[in-house]
Amino acid sequence: SRFETCWPALMKDSHGVIIVFNPELPGHLKELEMWYSCFVQQQPLLDAQCLLVAHHKPGSAGDTENLALAYPLNKLKLIHSNLEDDPEDVRMEFIKYFRSIITSINESREREEMSIIS
């Protein structure tokens, strides 16, 4: 990718990664592993800090809802988004994800403070 030189700046001090892809494009499914490797494993971030979003375009074939991803991607939280359907589910999943990230940030901050005190 022509933006690879920017990746270190994007990754610096990041607490989470959301990867959005089109499940109907075989190329996107192949690239998923590369994005996961670069942005999650090499950071390193925990799998819980990564969210996969399979975005379905309006009028697309809905049979990709039963998307079976191979290891290690199958360990990650996967949500399906479709703007034609009720977007409330997706909104709730995003809120849950952000809450979990905030919780992990607060916990690591507390651990740091305790290690400084002790």
Side-chain angles (χ1 to χ4, degrees):
S1 167
R2 59 193 166 162
F3 298 115
E4 272 183 59
T5 51
C6 304
W7 288 1
L10 287 172
M11 290 189 265
K12 184 175 170 14
D13 299 330
S14 64
H15 295 287
V17 174
I18 298 174
I19 302 173
V20 181
F21 65 99
N22 182 340
E24 289 161 48
L25 295 179
H28 276 205
L29 294 175
K30 287 196 192 90
E31 283 178 28
L32 262 182
E33 286 189 37
M34 182 269 295
W35 291 110
Y36 172 71
S37 170
C38 292
F39 282 84
V40 182
Q41 289 179 312
Q42 289 176 31
Q43 289 248 58
L45 291 177
L46 300 172
D47 286 340
Q49 291 169 282
C50 181
L51 178 67
L52 297 181
V53 180
H55 184 66
H56 301 266
K57 289 188 170 178
S60 62
D63 58 355
T64 47
E65 286 281 333
N66 302 318
L67 194 60
L69 297 173
Y71 181 86
L73 299 172
N74 61 2
K75 301 182 298 171
L76 305 174
K77 174 78 177 163
L78 169 68
I79 64 171
H80 292 268
S81 72
N82 183 337
L83 299 180
E84 284 184 318
D85 295 342
D86 181 12
E88 189 59 25
D89 284 351
V90 175
R91 198 173 75 87
M92 291 309 296
E93 289 293 349
F94 269 102
I95 290 169
K96 269 197 280 189
Y97 171 70
F98 287 123
R99 277 195 187 133
S100 73
I101 295 296
I102 290 164
T103 301
S104 71
I105 292 168
N106 289 338
E107 284 171 358
S108 67
R109 195 169 288 154
E110 282 170 21
R111 278 195 303 271
E112 279 174 31
E113 286 169 2
M114 289 308 289
S115 68
I116 292 167
I117 293 166
S118 54

